PDB file of all heavy atoms in Angstrom:
ATOM      1  N   GLU A  29    -137.045-200.920 125.010  1.00 79.00           N
ATOM      2  CA  GLU A  29    -136.086-201.919 125.477  1.00 79.00           C
ATOM      3  C   GLU A  29    -136.766-203.303 125.363  1.00 79.00           C
ATOM      4  O   GLU A  29    -136.924-204.003 126.337  1.00 79.00           O
ATOM      5  CB  GLU A  29    -135.638-201.644 126.891  1.00 79.00           C
ATOM      6  CG  GLU A  29    -134.891-200.325 126.988  1.00 79.00           C
ATOM      7  CD  GLU A  29    -134.580-199.888 128.391  1.00 79.00           C
ATOM      8  OE1 GLU A  29    -135.205-200.395 129.336  1.00 79.00           O
ATOM      9  OE2 GLU A  29    -133.704-199.042 128.557  1.00 79.00           O
ATOM     10  N   LYS A  30    -137.133-203.683 124.186  1.00 84.00           N
ATOM     11  CA  LYS A  30    -137.872-204.940 123.971  1.00 84.00           C
ATOM     12  C   LYS A  30    -137.049-206.165 124.310  1.00 84.00           C
ATOM     13  O   LYS A  30    -137.574-207.157 124.783  1.00 84.00           O
ATOM     14  CB  LYS A  30    -138.344-205.023 122.538  1.00 84.00           C
ATOM     15  CG  LYS A  30    -139.225-203.822 122.180  1.00 84.00           C
ATOM     16  CD  LYS A  30    -140.564-204.313 121.683  1.00 84.00           C
ATOM     17  CE  LYS A  30    -141.428-203.080 121.384  1.00 84.00           C
ATOM     18  NZ  LYS A  30    -142.770-203.305 121.732  1.00 84.00           N
ATOM     19  N   SER A  31    -135.733-206.144 124.081  1.00 87.00           N
ATOM     20  CA  SER A  31    -134.932-207.334 124.328  1.00 87.00           C
ATOM     21  C   SER A  31    -134.871-207.694 125.772  1.00 87.00           C
ATOM     22  O   SER A  31    -134.822-208.860 126.141  1.00 87.00           O
ATOM     23  CB  SER A  31    -133.516-207.199 123.721  1.00 87.00           C
ATOM     24  OG  SER A  31    -132.867-206.137 124.343  1.00 87.00           O
ATOM     25  N   GLY A  32    -134.899-206.688 126.657  1.00 87.00           N
ATOM     26  CA  GLY A  32    -134.895-206.929 128.087  1.00 87.00           C
ATOM     27  C   GLY A  32    -136.155-207.707 128.531  1.00 87.00           C
ATOM     28  O   GLY A  32    -136.128-208.615 129.355  1.00 87.00           O
ATOM     29  N   VAL A  33    -137.310-207.269 127.966  1.00 88.00           N
ATOM     30  CA  VAL A  33    -138.558-207.983 128.283  1.00 88.00           C
ATOM     31  C   VAL A  33    -138.518-209.414 127.805  1.00 88.00           C
ATOM     32  O   VAL A  33    -138.838-210.340 128.546  1.00 88.00           O
ATOM     33  CB  VAL A  33    -139.744-207.209 127.667  1.00 88.00           C
ATOM     34  CG1 VAL A  33    -141.087-207.981 127.865  1.00 88.00           C
ATOM     35  CG2 VAL A  33    -139.855-205.801 128.238  1.00 88.00           C
ATOM     36  N   GLN A  34    -138.080-209.611 126.544  1.00 90.00           N
ATOM     37  CA  GLN A  34    -138.072-210.925 125.985  1.00 90.00           C
ATOM     38  C   GLN A  34    -137.036-211.815 126.714  1.00 90.00           C
ATOM     39  O   GLN A  34    -137.324-213.013 126.976  1.00 90.00           O
ATOM     40  CB  GLN A  34    -137.784-210.834 124.455  1.00 90.00           C
ATOM     41  CG  GLN A  34    -138.811-210.108 123.679  1.00 90.00           C
ATOM     42  CD  GLN A  34    -140.199-210.692 123.887  1.00 90.00           C
ATOM     43  OE1 GLN A  34    -140.404-211.908 123.816  1.00 90.00           O
ATOM     44  NE2 GLN A  34    -141.165-209.838 124.083  1.00 90.00           N
ATOM     45  N   GLY A  35    -135.917-211.237 127.073  1.00 91.00           N
ATOM     46  CA  GLY A  35    -134.866-211.990 127.794  1.00 91.00           C
ATOM     47  C   GLY A  35    -135.385-212.418 129.171  1.00 91.00           C
ATOM     48  O   GLY A  35    -135.091-213.524 129.626  1.00 91.00           O
ATOM     49  N   THR A  36    -136.130-211.531 129.811  1.00 90.00           N
ATOM     50  CA  THR A  36    -136.691-211.883 131.107  1.00 90.00           C
ATOM     51  C   THR A  36    -137.700-213.005 131.019  1.00 90.00           C
ATOM     52  O   THR A  36    -137.710-213.945 131.835  1.00 90.00           O
ATOM     53  CB  THR A  36    -137.357-210.635 131.747  1.00 90.00           C
ATOM     54  OG1 THR A  36    -136.390-209.639 131.855  1.00 90.00           O
ATOM     55  CG2 THR A  36    -137.935-210.949 133.098  1.00 90.00           C
ATOM     56  N   LEU A  37    -138.532-212.991 130.023  1.00 92.00           N
ATOM     57  CA  LEU A  37    -139.541-214.039 129.879  1.00 92.00           C
ATOM     58  C   LEU A  37    -138.847-215.378 129.509  1.00 92.00           C
ATOM     59  O   LEU A  37    -139.226-216.407 130.040  1.00 92.00           O
ATOM     60  CB  LEU A  37    -140.533-213.651 128.763  1.00 92.00           C
ATOM     61  CG  LEU A  37    -141.409-212.445 129.063  1.00 92.00           C
ATOM     62  CD1 LEU A  37    -142.253-212.089 127.865  1.00 92.00           C
ATOM     63  CD2 LEU A  37    -142.286-212.710 130.284  1.00 92.00           C
ATOM     64  N   LYS A  38    -137.791-215.291 128.720  1.00 95.00           N
ATOM     65  CA  LYS A  38    -137.022-216.505 128.398  1.00 95.00           C
ATOM     66  C   LYS A  38    -136.362-217.087 129.689  1.00 95.00           C
ATOM     67  O   LYS A  38    -136.377-218.290 129.880  1.00 95.00           O
ATOM     68  CB  LYS A  38    -135.985-216.183 127.327  1.00 95.00           C
ATOM     69  CG  LYS A  38    -135.256-217.410 126.839  1.00 95.00           C
ATOM     70  CD  LYS A  38    -134.309-217.041 125.700  1.00 95.00           C
ATOM     71  CE  LYS A  38    -133.513-218.260 125.273  1.00 95.00           C
ATOM     72  NZ  LYS A  38    -133.978-218.834 124.039  1.00 95.00           N
ATOM     73  N   PHE A  39    -135.842-216.186 130.521  1.00 94.00           N
ATOM     74  CA  PHE A  39    -135.233-216.625 131.786  1.00 94.00           C
ATOM     75  C   PHE A  39    -136.280-217.355 132.641  1.00 94.00           C
ATOM     76  O   PHE A  39    -136.035-218.420 133.181  1.00 94.00           O
ATOM     77  CB  PHE A  39    -134.675-215.450 132.541  1.00 94.00           C
ATOM     78  CG  PHE A  39    -134.264-215.820 133.931  1.00 94.00           C
ATOM     79  CD1 PHE A  39    -133.024-216.460 134.240  1.00 94.00           C
ATOM     80  CD2 PHE A  39    -135.111-215.507 135.017  1.00 94.00           C
ATOM     81  CE1 PHE A  39    -132.723-216.777 135.489  1.00 94.00           C
ATOM     82  CE2 PHE A  39    -134.759-215.837 136.329  1.00 94.00           C
ATOM     83  CZ  PHE A  39    -133.541-216.450 136.566  1.00 94.00           C
ATOM     84  N   LEU A  40    -137.492-216.826 132.702  1.00 94.00           N
ATOM     85  CA  LEU A  40    -138.556-217.419 133.471  1.00 94.00           C
ATOM     86  C   LEU A  40    -138.879-218.847 132.945  1.00 94.00           C
ATOM     87  O   LEU A  40    -139.067-219.785 133.705  1.00 94.00           O
ATOM     88  CB  LEU A  40    -139.813-216.573 133.481  1.00 94.00           C
ATOM     89  CG  LEU A  40    -139.783-215.380 134.369  1.00 94.00           C
ATOM     90  CD1 LEU A  40    -141.010-214.513 134.115  1.00 94.00           C
ATOM     91  CD2 LEU A  40    -139.661-215.740 135.793  1.00 94.00           C
ATOM     92  N   GLU A  41    -138.947-218.925 131.634  1.00 95.00           N
ATOM     93  CA  GLU A  41    -139.271-220.249 131.038  1.00 95.00           C
ATOM     94  C   GLU A  41    -138.173-221.272 131.143  1.00 95.00           C
ATOM     95  O   GLU A  41    -138.495-222.431 131.373  1.00 95.00           O
ATOM     96  CB  GLU A  41    -139.557-220.020 129.554  1.00 95.00           C
ATOM     97  CG  GLU A  41    -140.815-219.255 129.209  1.00 95.00           C
ATOM     98  CD  GLU A  41    -140.947-218.953 127.738  1.00 95.00           C
ATOM     99  OE1 GLU A  41    -140.052-219.334 126.931  1.00 95.00           O
ATOM    100  OE2 GLU A  41    -141.946-218.311 127.354  1.00 95.00           O
ATOM    101  N   GLU A  42    -136.930-220.853 131.117  1.00 96.00           N
ATOM    102  CA  GLU A  42    -135.832-221.802 130.964  1.00 96.00           C
ATOM    103  C   GLU A  42    -134.961-221.924 132.237  1.00 96.00           C
ATOM    104  O   GLU A  42    -134.298-222.994 132.395  1.00 96.00           O
ATOM    105  CB  GLU A  42    -134.996-221.434 129.793  1.00 96.00           C
ATOM    106  CG  GLU A  42    -135.735-221.526 128.477  1.00 96.00           C
ATOM    107  CD  GLU A  42    -134.900-221.099 127.262  1.00 96.00           C
ATOM    108  OE1 GLU A  42    -133.670-220.904 127.440  1.00 96.00           O
ATOM    109  OE2 GLU A  42    -135.467-221.034 126.172  1.00 96.00           O
ATOM    110  N   GLU A  43    -134.861-220.919 133.042  1.00 95.00           N
ATOM    111  CA  GLU A  43    -133.856-220.965 134.129  1.00 95.00           C
ATOM    112  C   GLU A  43    -134.374-220.684 135.572  1.00 95.00           C
ATOM    113  O   GLU A  43    -133.754-221.087 136.495  1.00 95.00           O
ATOM    114  CB  GLU A  43    -132.757-219.915 133.835  1.00 95.00           C
ATOM    115  CG  GLU A  43    -131.987-220.112 132.554  1.00 95.00           C
ATOM    116  CD  GLU A  43    -131.130-221.414 132.510  1.00 95.00           C
ATOM    117  OE1 GLU A  43    -130.779-221.871 133.623  1.00 95.00           O
ATOM    118  OE2 GLU A  43    -130.864-221.910 131.446  1.00 95.00           O
TER     119      GLU A  43
END
Side-chain angles (χ1 to χ4, degrees):
E29 297 172 342
K30 302 238 178 218
S31 61
V33 174
Q34 298 305 314
T36 301
L37 295 174
K38 185 174 176 106
F39 170 79
L40 284 173
E41 291 173 359
E42 298 178 6
E43 300 292 337

